[in-house]
């Protein structure tokens, strides 16, 4: 909806044009008739007038002729009006004098009117030319003040540094309205410094108090008298000059002055004041932008320093624990973040591991993060129980926590010798532990820190056996969205851990899955933090305690890959002392099971790998082969009957499962959301003929 | 881990015995090679076919199924099938699947070619 406009439509313009033309023609005709007796009859003028009117109406129906209509109207009004003027004067003078021209007198009168009209037509352009000539004689090619405005306006749009811009302005002013000199002053907190002057003439700075600053900032372009009252220093040495000052201000703040001088006998006029005021306004904008840029640069520099300080609050290096692998990852969503993690050495070789998350992100979260982290550190080395540490920190944070902010935190103390992890949780995301039987969550109840005075925190324990891994994380991972607003989610994270990678490999895998999920170039929504601990399975397999994972890997579901699996499992158990024939049986069983998994479970789909895990427990080796088939789809098949096959009563196939069961001591099938696992167990002790 | 596709070559021995020399993996991709070799070996209608497993690296359940298929065909034609060159492990598999009940497993080629008099013990 556009605002009502006073612009008249082309139709109206054309119509008016036609009407005025018609009227003028009629009136002119009448007056001419009076003066010179021509036109003799009214028909001629009336006809022409009607034509003009009709033409106007017709043109009004044409589209897109507004510009032409406006121009025509202007021409008609000016021409018609001036013509009427001349003719009317003639009528008044001639008739008024009581004369009544006849015969040849009429001819002379007619010619003289024509001459007058022609002269009038030429008067406009001739006047301009004459004026220029006179101006040229008066001054030394003085440009009109408006040129300065145009020049400066054009220059402002180019990327000229501010100093050069001011210099060019001063020079332009000197060339146009300030032959005595031009100065540009800049102000900073009431101190006025001469920034540029043409000709160059150093001047001492001028100090203004708050009130003077305010008055000057709001003043318009002013002259000697005003300057003498408010900024008398400007007049020093210029008492006989005509001085003009235009304050440069932006939003009521004084940013500088434009000062121009010339001979006292040639005072400044209103037009020049107007130009000075406009220039001052434009310079004000330019100076304001320069200030803004500098403020932004400072803020960015400060933020960068804040980022480095925050990094200092994170562990500079991770401890080197024999028998353990510790890895971590910290990625704030913005320059600074609200997530944090810490690894704190405690007496008796123990370590505290924690991951925390402050609500929100950015600078406010970072500030709360550093306070929380310091409190946690202080308590960690005095109170050893995770629950007590969180209780104490909560009570310290609560009074000072800004409204609607709180901190979640998972805090655990690990004894590397025994693998016991004692932990408490202040409302943080549940850590995952990869055990021999899959991924489990560690749960302990407690409210986020800083939310309520006196909160209690439940303590629990978990034992990390060799090969086990624990992942502490924050919700930046699970809460990442893809283009369809689908969440990455905790199940995916859990599955990534269940797939097998450990330690730094797990972190890398999570990050790459996240990137694949959110899509390339997606902005990170929330801080991402991970800490993972893995207990090594150990070197000498035979002497390793029960539950060791000897190998784990996965292979794509492609025919032929079962050979690779067979060989890798074979080398993984090579040191266990399995008798040769039994080892071969195990390998065959592994190959057959893998083939089943690839074919029936994963349907030979490339994106569904088969996962293999080889475990060693006290008296046997276990191989777990997992596919991604739908649960509950295990087909029961009849035992193969060779005679029936030879007689064509059974398909020749179907030997896989039969062989598997015959080759190993135990087979067990489990299925959970995500696939089936067939576990083959082979006792380490037993003769070559020990099978059913 | 290189898998090698099966290659099967046929040669004739005295007494109408055709020997199929197998080299590579006896798995699902061995079907064509095996069938072609069998057809070739039985083209002239010999009395028996001997499978040489000396250079067969790997036999899986699909390979077993292929052999069962060949054996079924042979029986309908009254052709006897024998085998040699199996490792202990694969010999065991032949026994578990009862293939050894229908196919004589010999220690070496001559014994296999020689026929029923050849040794059948593990």
């Amino acid at each position: 909806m556009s605002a009502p406009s006073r612009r008249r439509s082309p139709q109206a313009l054309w119509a008016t044009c036609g009407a005025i033309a018609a009227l003028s023609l009629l009136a002119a005709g009448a007056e001419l008739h009076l003066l010179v007796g021509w036109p003799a009859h009214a028909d001629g003028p009336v006809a022409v007038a009607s034509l003009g009117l009709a033409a106007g109406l017709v043109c009004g129906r044409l589209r897109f002729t507004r510009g032409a209509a406006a121009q025509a109207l202007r021409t008609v009004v000016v021409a018609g009006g001036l013509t009427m003027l001349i003719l009317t004067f003639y009528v008044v003078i001639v008739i008024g004098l009581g004369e009544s021209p006849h015969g040849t007198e009429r001819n002379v009168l007619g010619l003289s009117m024509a001459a007058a009209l022609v002269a009038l037509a030429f008067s406009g352009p001739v006047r301009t030319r004459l004026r220029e000539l006179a101006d040229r004689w008066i001054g030394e090619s003085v440009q009109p003040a408006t040129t300065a405005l145009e020049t400066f306006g054009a220059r402002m749009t180019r990327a000229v540094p501010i100093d050069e811009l001011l210099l060019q302005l001063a020079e332009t002013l000197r060339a146009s309205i300030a032959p005595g000199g031009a100065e540009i002053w800049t102000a900073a907190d009431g101190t006025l410094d001469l920034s540029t002057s043409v000709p160059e003439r150093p001047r001492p700075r001028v100090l203004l108090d708050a009130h003077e600053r305010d008055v000057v900032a709001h003043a318009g372009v002013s002259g000697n008298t005003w300057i003498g009252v408010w900024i008398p220093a400007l007049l020093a040495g210029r008492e006989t000059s005509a001085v003009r000052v235009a304050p440069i201000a932006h939003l009521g703040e004084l940013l500088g002055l434009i000062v121009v001088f010339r001979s006292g006998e040639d005072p400044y006029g209103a037009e020049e004041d107007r130009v000075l005021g406009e220039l001052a306004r434009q310079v004000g904008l330019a100076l304001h932008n320069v200030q803004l840029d500098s403020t932004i640069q400072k803020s960015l520099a400060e933020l960068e320093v804040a980022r480095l300080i925050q990094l200092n609050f994170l562990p500079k290096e991770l401890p080197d624990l024999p028998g353990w692998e510790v890895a971590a990852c910290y990625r704030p969503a913005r320059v600074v973040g609200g997530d944090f993690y810490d690894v704190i050495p405690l007496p008796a070789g123990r370590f505290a591991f924690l991951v925390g998350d402050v609500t929100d992100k950015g600078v406010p979260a970072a500030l709360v993060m550093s306070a929380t982290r310091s409190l946690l550190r202080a308590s960690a080395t005095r109170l050893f129980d995770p629950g007590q540490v969180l209780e104490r920190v909560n009570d310290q944070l609560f009074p000072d926590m800004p409204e609607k902010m709180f901190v979640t935190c998972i805090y655990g103390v690990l004894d590397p010798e025994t693998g016991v992890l004692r932990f408490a949780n202040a409302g943080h995301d549940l850590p995952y532990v990869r055990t021999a039987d899959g991924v489990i969550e560690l749960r302990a109840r407690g409210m986020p820190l800083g939310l309520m005075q006196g909160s209690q925190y439940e303590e629990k324990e978990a034992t990390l056996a060799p090969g086990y891994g624990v992942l502490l994380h924050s919700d930046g991972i699970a809460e990442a969205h893809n283009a369809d607003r689908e969440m990455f989610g905790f199940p995916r994270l859990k599955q990534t851990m269940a797939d097998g990678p450990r330690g730094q490999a797990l972190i890398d895998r999570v990050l790459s899955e996240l990137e694949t999920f959110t899509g390339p170039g997606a902005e990170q929504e929330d801080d991402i933090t991970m800490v993972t601990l893995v207990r090594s399975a150990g070197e000498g397999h035979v002497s390793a305690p029960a539950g060791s994972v000897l190998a784990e890997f996965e292979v794509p579901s492609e025919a032929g890959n079962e050979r690779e699996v067979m060989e890798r499992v074979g080398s993984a158990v090579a040191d266990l002392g399995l008798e040769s024939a039994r080892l071969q049986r195990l390998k065959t069983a592994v190959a057959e099971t893998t083939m089943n998994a690839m074919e029936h479970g994963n349907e030979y789909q490339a994106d569904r790998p088969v996962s293999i895990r080889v475990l060693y427990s006290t008296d046997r080796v276990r191989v777990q082969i997992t596919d991604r088939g739908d649960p509950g789809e295990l087909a029961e098949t009849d035992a193969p009957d060779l005679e029936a096959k030879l007689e064509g009563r059974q398909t020749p196939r179907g030997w896989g499962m039969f062989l598997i069961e015959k080759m190993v001591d135990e087979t067990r099938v489990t299925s959970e959301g995500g696939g089936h696992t067939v576990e083959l167990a082979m006792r380490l002790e037993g003769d070559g003929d020990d099978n059913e | 881990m290189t898998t090698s596709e099966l290659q099967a070559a046929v040669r004739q021995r005295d007494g109408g015995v055709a020997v199929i020399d197998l080299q590579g993996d006896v798995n699902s991709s061995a079907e064509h090679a095996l069938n072609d070799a069998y057809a070739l070996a039985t083209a002239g209608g010999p009395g028996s076919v001997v499978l040489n497993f000396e250079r067969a690296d790997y036999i899986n359940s699909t390979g077993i199924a292929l052999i069962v298929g060949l054996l079924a065909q042979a029986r309908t034609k009254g052709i006897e099938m024998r085998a040699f060159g199996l490792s202990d492990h694969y010999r065991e598999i032949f026994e578990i699947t009862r293939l050894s009940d229908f196919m004589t497993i010999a220690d070496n080629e001559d014994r296999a070619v020689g026929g029923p008099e050849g040794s059948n013990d593990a």
Side-chain angles (χ1 to χ4, degrees):
Chain A
M1 294 282 119
S2 54
S5 152
R6 287 174 55 209
R7 281 167 59 107
R8 302 196 190 278
S9 68
Q11 290 94 320
L13 293 177
W14 282 117
T16 315
C17 188
I20 292 178
L23 276 170
S24 307
L25 278 164
L26 284 171
E31 287 180 342
L32 278 172
H33 179 78
L34 264 175
L35 290 169
V36 298
W38 176 90
H41 301 289
D43 324 352
V46 167
V48 176
S50 318
L51 207 63
L53 189 61
L57 289 171
V58 164
C59 287
R61 316 241 349 62
L62 299 172
R63 302 180 69 194
F64 309 122
T65 53
R66 198 184 186 282
Q71 200 52 39
L73 185 58
R74 278 189 207 108
T75 313
V76 159
V77 166
V78 169
L82 285 176
T83 310
M84 291 309 307
L85 190 70
I86 296 276
L87 289 174
T88 310
F89 267 111
Y90 267 84
V91 167
V92 164
I93 290 171
V94 171
I95 306 298
L97 287 177
E99 296 285 336
S100 187
H102 301 285
T104 49
E105 289 176 340
R106 282 186 162 182
N107 294 338
V108 172
L109 197 57
L111 286 170
S112 123
M113 280 192 293
L117 283 168
V118 169
L120 192 61
F122 276 98
S123 73
V126 168
R127 168 190 264 164
T128 315
R129 281 276 136 61
L130 286 171
R131 193 181 211 148
E132 273 175 25
L133 276 169
D135 277 340
R136 218 173 288 161
W137 187 85
I138 292 165
E140 325 149 0
S141 57
V142 171
Q143 298 164 19
T146 46
T147 313
L149 203 55
E150 284 159 18
T151 320
F152 187 66
R155 291 217 172 107
M156 266 245 301
T157 59
R158 290 191 241 138
V160 177
I162 191 74
D163 297 327
E164 203 184 309
L165 195 66
L166 296 179
L167 183 63
Q168 288 174 6
L169 174 62
E171 282 169 354
T172 311
L173 283 170
R174 175 123 181 270
S176 56
I177 61 175
E183 295 172 355
I184 320 269
W185 295 65
T186 48
D189 296 328
T191 309
L192 282 163
D193 282 305
L194 179 62
S195 172
T196 307
S197 115
V198 170
E200 270 214 43
R201 230 177 262 153
R203 307 267 274 178
R205 54 173 33 169
V206 174
L207 293 157
L208 298 174
D209 67 31
H211 176 58
E212 289 164 337
R213 227 182 298 160
D214 202 43
V215 170
V216 172
H218 288 94
V221 180
S222 313
N224 296 51
T225 320
W226 184 92
I227 299 171
V229 171
W230 293 102
I231 324 174
L234 286 183
L235 292 177
R238 302 201 187 289
E239 287 77 8
T240 56
S241 306
V243 186
R244 245 18 203 186
V245 70
I248 304 169
H250 186 79
L251 297 177
E253 194 196 331
L254 182 67
L255 296 177
L257 305 169
I258 301 178
V259 190
V260 291
F261 316 86
R262 65 189 183 198
S263 158
E265 285 145 21
D266 182 16
Y268 283 90
E271 176 67 13
E272 286 149 332
D273 278 357
R274 189 187 72 79
V275 166
L276 277 173
E278 183 57 28
L279 284 169
R281 198 187 64 80
Q282 292 191 14
V283 172
L285 274 174
L287 285 176
H288 178 69
N289 280 346
V290 165
Q291 261 182 14
L292 268 182
D293 271 344
S294 135
T295 311
I296 290 173
Q297 289 306 318
K298 269 194 222 127
S299 293
L300 284 177
E302 275 180 15
L303 206 56
E304 178 60 21
V305 171
R307 184 184 77 87
L308 294 172
I309 293 177
Q310 182 171 60
L311 281 181
N312 259 340
F313 282 135
L314 298 171
K316 294 171 191 48
E317 56 184 16
L318 297 169
D320 185 15
L321 296 174
W324 293 82
E325 185 195 331
V326 183
C329 148
Y330 177 77
R331 292 203 179 170
R334 303 202 189 139
V335 180
V336 288
D339 267 12
F340 60 98
Y341 75 96
D342 210 350
V343 180
I344 308 167
L346 300 176
R350 290 175 296 161
F351 281 88
F353 293 90
L354 63 100
V355 168
D357 185 359
V358 182
T359 40
D360 209 11
K361 40 193 177 293
V363 172
L367 291 172
V368 174
M369 168 268 199
S370 62
T372 310
R373 177 253 182 207
S374 306
L375 290 172
L376 281 165
R377 273 231 159 200
S379 287
T381 48
R382 294 186 317 111
L383 310 161
F384 305 119
D385 289 332
Q388 286 186 11
V389 168
L390 290 182
E391 273 167 32
R392 175 106 183 94
V393 171
N394 175 62
D395 287 341
Q396 286 171 316
L397 276 178
F398 175 75
D400 299 329
M401 184 66 76
E403 218 179 285
K404 298 196 186 141
M405 281 182 96
F406 54 83
V407 184
T408 64
C409 177
I410 170 72
Y411 183 100
V413 174
L414 174 75
D415 183 345
E417 296 277 306
T418 60
V420 170
L421 179 73
R422 207 168 159 67
F423 61 93
N425 193 343
H428 195 80
D429 308 304
L430 306 178
Y432 295 126
V433 180
R434 242 272 310 285
T435 68
D437 300 311
V439 174
I440 61 173
E441 292 154 350
L442 296 180
R443 290 172 192 272
R445 284 186 310 234
M447 300 244 308
L449 303 172
L451 212 51
M452 212 175 74
Q453 188 82 39
S455 287
Q456 298 281 304
Y457 296 91
E458 190 185 23
E459 265 182 29
K460 290 275 194 64
E461 249 181 38
T463 306
L464 304 176
Y468 281 29
V470 66
L471 173 69
L472 309 180
H473 56 96
S474 72
D475 57 16
I477 302 163
E479 294 190 1
H481 292 91
N482 66 3
D484 300 322
R485 303 306 300 164
E486 207 191 322
M487 249 176 47
F488 188 79
F490 291 111
R492 266 198 189 86
L493 181 58
K494 206 170 164 185
Q495 183 60 47
T496 308
M497 197 179 187
D499 284 347
R502 303 186 297 171
Q504 186 62 46
L506 173 61
I507 290 177
D508 294 337
R509 170 80 86 87
V510 169
L511 290 174
S512 92
E513 299 231 330
L514 201 55
E515 194 181 344
T516 309
F517 179 79
T518 58
E523 203 184 304
Q524 188 180 324
E525 289 173 51
D526 199 357
D527 306 327
I528 288 176
T529 306
M530 282 187 274
V531 176
T532 157
L533 307 168
V534 183
R535 190 170 184 190
S536 319
E539 288 286 328
H541 298 161
V542 180
S543 57
S548 313
V549 176
L550 299 178
E552 65 192 315
F553 54 94
E554 56 182 45
V555 294
S557 297
E558 280 167 16
N561 280 350
E562 72 275 5
R563 300 289 299 281
E564 179 193 333
V565 174
M566 193 169 102
E567 297 306 325
R568 282 174 81 168
V569 171
S571 45
V573 304
D575 298 331
L576 291 178
L578 257 185
E579 196 254 322
S580 158
R582 291 171 69 77
L583 176 60
Q584 296 223 34
R585 284 188 212 135
L586 177 63
K587 283 166 71 171
T588 291
V590 165
E592 293 296 326
T593 309
T594 305
M595 273 171 60
N596 273 355
M598 295 194 303
E599 183 180 349
H600 301 296
N602 291 348
E603 293 167 334
Y604 284 124
Q605 282 189 43
D607 63 338
R608 284 176 167 182
V610 175
S611 311
I612 318 299
R613 195 168 345 137
V614 182
L615 300 156
Y616 162 73
S617 39
T618 39
D619 63 341
R620 66 193 61 202
V621 60
R622 290 151 59 207
V623 181
Q624 295 169 341
I625 295 156
T626 308
D627 64 35
R628 305 284 168 90
D630 292 323
E633 256 189 27
L634 296 172
E636 297 277 326
T637 47
D638 296 327
D641 178 344
L642 183 57
E643 270 156 351
K645 291 179 193 301
L646 291 175
E647 285 163 24
R649 286 186 285 116
Q650 242 189 34
T651 151
R653 300 199 57 186
W655 295 101
M657 212 54 212
F658 173 77
L659 278 179
I660 293 166
E661 282 166 3
K662 293 288 175 192
M663 294 281 108
V664 293
D665 297 326
E666 286 164 28
T667 51
R668 193 161 67 111
V669 181
T670 51
S671 69
E672 55 179 58
H676 303 119
T677 299
V678 176
E679 184 178 290
L680 310 169
M682 193 71 137
R683 278 191 293 277
L684 298 175
E685 301 296 321
D687 353 301
D689 291 327
D690 188 16
N691 67 71
E692 287 197 329
Chain B
M1 179 53 32
T2 49
T3 57
S4 38
E5 201 164 307
L6 185 75
Q7 307 207 1
V10 180
R11 57 191 163 86
Q12 299 289 341
R13 289 279 308 255
D14 301 332
V17 178
V19 177
I20 302 181
D21 296 310
L22 300 169
Q23 183 180 340
D25 301 337
V26 189
N27 56 13
S28 52
S29 47
E31 189 169 3
H32 286 303
L34 262 181
N35 287 341
D36 289 348
Y38 179 82
L40 193 60
T42 56
S48 46
V49 172
V50 170
L51 296 175
N52 175 4
F53 286 97
E54 274 179 341
R55 296 169 77 191
D57 301 320
Y58 169 73
I59 309 170
N60 67 10
S61 54
T62 316
I64 300 288
L66 288 173
I67 296 168
V68 168
L70 287 184
L71 189 57
Q73 284 183 59
R75 280 167 65 81
T76 61
K77 299 279 173 52
I79 294 170
E80 195 185 330
M81 277 185 77
R82 295 191 280 272
F84 73 94
L86 286 169
S87 67
D88 287 344
H89 176 59
Y90 287 122
R91 225 175 195 175
E92 189 184 352
I93 286 181
F94 269 56
E95 282 167 14
I96 290 172
T97 56
R98 293 187 59 217
L99 270 172
S100 52
D101 290 355
F102 296 90
M103 257 171 88
T104 309
I105 314 288
D107 294 333
N108 56 44
E109 181 170 345
D110 288 330
R111 288 247 175 93
V113 170
E117 305 86 53
S119 166
N120 194 17
D121 45 346

